[in-house]
Amino acid sequence: GRFDVKAMIGMTLAGIPAVLIAAFIVKTLPLNVLQWVVVVVVIYTATNMLLAARRERALAMAATMAGATPAL
């Protein structure tokens, strides 16, 4: 597929120090706080995925009702 090389290089270069900073922050967090951060991230991600699936299903149903072939 196609991708933007400039964006890829920028994200790679920004990602390296971001991972180092995140590793330092995670190492200094108490385990209890880290567990809650993980729980919140998992719930947030799951909610977004469920909402996206619901939107896709609604679009597919609307396309089917209109007689078009749904683009999945």
Side-chain angles (χ1 to χ4, degrees):
R2 295 179 177 207
F3 61 95
D4 188 359
V5 176
K6 289 181 184 178
M8 179 192 66
I9 291 172
M11 288 176 23
T12 301
L13 292 177
I16 293 169
V19 166
L20 296 174
I21 293 168
F24 174 74
I25 292 171
V26 167
K27 285 174 62 175
T28 60
L29 281 177
L31 187 58
N32 189 23
V33 173
L34 183 60
Q35 286 175 332
W36 280 108
V37 168
V38 170
V39 167
V40 168
V41 168
V42 167
I43 291 172
Y44 174 78
T45 303
T47 303
N48 277 338
M49 290 176 71
L50 288 170
L51 291 174
R54 181 182 287 179
R55 282 191 298 271
E56 287 292 326
R57 178 181 277 180
L59 287 173
M61 294 271 289
T64 303
M65 293 293 189
T69 305
L72 300 175

